[in-house]
Every structure is written in structure tokens, then in C-alpha cells.
Amino acid sequence: MAYSNIAVCLDLRSREADRLLHRAAALLDGGGAMSALTVIEIGSFDADREAVASLIEEEFWSRSAHLTRTCREAGHPAVDTRVLVGDAADQISAFVEQHGCDLVVLGNHSDTRPRPRLGSTSDAVVQRVSCDALVVDVLAPGP
């Protein structure tokens, strides 16, 4: 089955990006669109709001450049890149629904071998979206 609008969620601190982008691209129909997402998660801050806003803006531009470079180096320069800010599961789910995605691709970092389980973000996203979801075990060897 080919998909026409895929959201690929990337944790830029890990080495999963190539693997997830290639898996998504293999499932994309010829005229389809793919978006690569990463989320800046914000906890509760007791610090000065201006200082926090400045740090978030700096992180936003840094991740934006990193995400664009990652997609280009993986051979997918035309991918729409988005840096979201907030709770990862909330932001990913909202993006997927608002943009009419028919597939969301996520990496699972939960190492609970021998019985694999979804991590908290993957689990929350899978439960919230109305489209198909592909959760790739990024800790397992493979392409």
C-alpha cells in the first residue's frame, strides 16, 4: 500500500533519521508528500520567560538547520521540515490530524527486550491519531 501524505517523527539526538526517512519514502506514492517533524519539548520553567523564549528560539533555529541537513544527507532534500514546540505526543498528533496525514512514522526507543513495548510518546501518538502508524524499533539491527 502506498501513502500520499506521511509524517516522519525524528529524534535528532539519535541515529534513526536515515532509517525512518527511507522506510517512509518506500511507502510514499509517486506524487505524495512527506513531512519530517521534530519537537522541542518544554517542561515547566520557573525561570524568566524572556530568557526561556530566547533559548527556545535559539534551539528552534538550530534544530531547523539540523533537520534540513539530516533530510538532505539521507537523500530526501524535498521533504517539508517542521520544528514543533510543546509536548511531543500532543504536537505530533495535532500536526498529523491538521495536515490530513495518512501515515505517521515514529521510532521506538524503548528497550524492553525480550518483549518489545511502545515508548510513552509512540504509544500516546498511536492512540490519538486516526491514520495508520508505523512504529520502527530503532534499537533493533536492520535497514
Side-chain angles (χ1 to χ4, degrees):
M1 174 176 196
Y3 293 91
S4 62
N5 190 2
I6 300 176
V8 185
C9 307
L10 303 175
D11 177 351
L12 296 177
R13 297 167 298 182
S14 72
R15 297 177 181 224
E16 72 190 36
D18 281 3
R19 189 172 179 186
L20 295 179
L21 287 164
H22 291 307
R23 292 286 292 270
L27 297 169
L28 188 64
D29 76 23
M34 188 162 62
S35 298
L37 316 174
T38 191
V39 181
I40 300 170
E41 290 206 81
I42 302 175
S44 61
F45 290 100
D46 293 330
D48 176 17
R49 287 195 181 277
E50 252 183 62
V52 171
S54 176
L55 290 172
I56 291 170
E57 183 177 2
E58 194 174 303
E59 181 68 10
F60 177 91
W61 292 112
S62 173
R63 286 204 194 185
S64 182
H66 187 176
L67 187 58
T68 299
R69 186 175 56 254
T70 298
C71 291
R72 186 181 62 244
E73 289 172 358
H76 303 284
V79 171
D80 175 38
T81 58
R82 303 287 179 108
V83 178
L84 309 173
V85 179
D87 176 77
D90 289 344
Q91 294 298 313
I92 293 166
S93 302
F95 180 91
V96 166
E97 295 303 320
Q98 289 168 2
H99 292 86
C101 296
D102 51 0
L103 177 67
V104 60
V105 178
L106 304 124
N108 187 31
H109 304 93
S110 183
D111 189 11
T112 55
R113 294 190 193 349
R115 206 171 137 190
R117 293 196 177 127
L118 292 180
S120 58
T121 300
S122 297
D123 184 47
V125 170
V126 167
Q127 290 184 43
R128 293 176 191 178
V129 297
S130 59
C131 67
D132 290 350
L134 171 62
V135 180
V136 179
D137 182 358
V138 297
L139 298 175

